[in-house]
């Protein structure tokens, strides 16, 4: 399971300070120890933003999920996906939550977010990523990204 964190300015500064130290002496001074201790404490306090893509075991649901992973921009609604799976909407939504631990819309958002993070990290322009993932505008994509990860894509890119 992939885990992402939005680094606070303090955590970022601590990492930079520790990386700038003399590698041969790293961890041997009182300062290095204090920096490391504070970094561990701050990292443990960061809000975790899991990017967990759990695939269901039910072959009908798995087929739907694999189609979405292959084409994250596919914007078919839950009614269409439940028909694709050969299930009633209510059965689909309940089975999906039971098997993945989350609602269908949240799961699909996680798939899109994982794909977006990978593309942004590779240097693709945010507008293109937004369009490729089915968002009508880069501002709609940025709002979703900020709501989910706590930072706009440009800030997230700089921190990661």
């Amino acid at each position: 399971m992939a885990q992402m964190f939005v680094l606070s300015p303090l955590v970022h500064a601590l990492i930079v300070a520790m990386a700038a130290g003399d590698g041969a002496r790293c961890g041997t001074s009182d300062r290095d120890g204090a920096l490391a201790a504070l970094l561990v404490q701050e990292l443990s306090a960061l809000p975790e933003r899991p990017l967990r893509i759990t695939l269901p075991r039910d072959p009908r649901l798995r087929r739907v999920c694999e189609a979405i992973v292959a084409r994250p921009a596919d914007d078919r609604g839950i009614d269409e996906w439940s028909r694709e799976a050969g299930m009633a909407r209510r059965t689909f939504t309940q089975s999906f939550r039971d098997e993945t631990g989350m609602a269908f819309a949240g799961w699909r958002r996680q798939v899109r977010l994982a794909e977006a993070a990978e593309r942004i990290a590779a240097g693709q322009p945010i507008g293109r990523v937004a369009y490729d993932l089915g968002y009508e505008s880069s501002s709609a994509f940025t709002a979703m990204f900020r709501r989910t990860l706590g930072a706009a894509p440009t800030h997230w890119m700089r921190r990661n």
Side-chain angles (χ1 to χ4, degrees), residues 17-55:
M18 291 182 70
D22 178 9
R25 302 183 318 97
C26 187
T28 60
S29 72
D30 288 342
R31 179 179 184 272
D32 290 340
L35 287 174
L38 182 56
L39 179 60
V40 167
Q41 189 173 24
E42 288 298 307
L43 284 173
S44 68
L46 284 177
E48 205 171 286
R49 307 286 192 201
L51 287 181
R52 178 178 44 191
I53 310 301
T54 303
L55 294 176

Side-chain angles (χ1 to χ4, degrees), residues 2-158:
Q3 299 289 330
M4 293 182 70
F5 298 91
V6 177
L7 299 182
S8 68
L10 175 58
V11 170
H12 185 264
L14 288 167
I15 292 170
V16 169
M18 291 182 70
D22 178 9
R25 302 183 318 97
C26 187
T28 60
S29 72
D30 288 342
R31 179 179 184 272
D32 290 340
L35 287 174
L38 182 56
L39 179 60
V40 167
Q41 189 173 24
E42 288 298 307
L43 284 173
S44 68
L46 284 177
E48 205 171 286
R49 307 286 192 201
L51 287 181
R52 178 178 44 191
I53 310 301
T54 303
L55 294 176
R57 287 174 285 173
D58 182 303
R60 300 168 297 174
L61 295 174
R62 191 173 190 97
R63 187 174 62 246
V64 166
C65 290
E66 288 172 346
I68 293 170
V69 168
R71 293 191 56 225
D74 190 327
D75 64 352
R76 284 185 272 177
I78 197 162
D79 290 327
E80 292 170 280
W81 284 116
S82 61
R83 278 193 300 276
E84 178 79 22
M87 303 169 88
R89 178 189 173 114
R90 184 176 175 136
T91 304
F92 179 87
T93 57
Q94 186 62 49
S95 297
F96 198 92
R97 183 177 296 280
D98 290 346
E99 294 237 2
T100 64
M102 56 192 328
F104 177 75
W107 182 90
R108 182 165 47 185
R109 192 171 31 256
Q110 291 286 54
V111 169
R112 288 179 173 174
L113 189 59
E115 180 71 16
E118 189 174 306
R119 289 179 179 204
I120 291 168
Q124 287 188 18
I126 291 168
R128 179 186 172 115
V129 171
Y131 175 76
D132 287 351
L133 294 179
Y135 288 88
E136 292 186 20
S137 68
S138 57
S139 60
F141 168 74
T142 298
M144 178 281 303
F145 200 98
R146 181 180 288 126
R147 264 193 324 273
T148 307
L149 291 179
T154 51
H155 293 126
W156 180 84
M157 250 180 5
R158 281 187 233 133

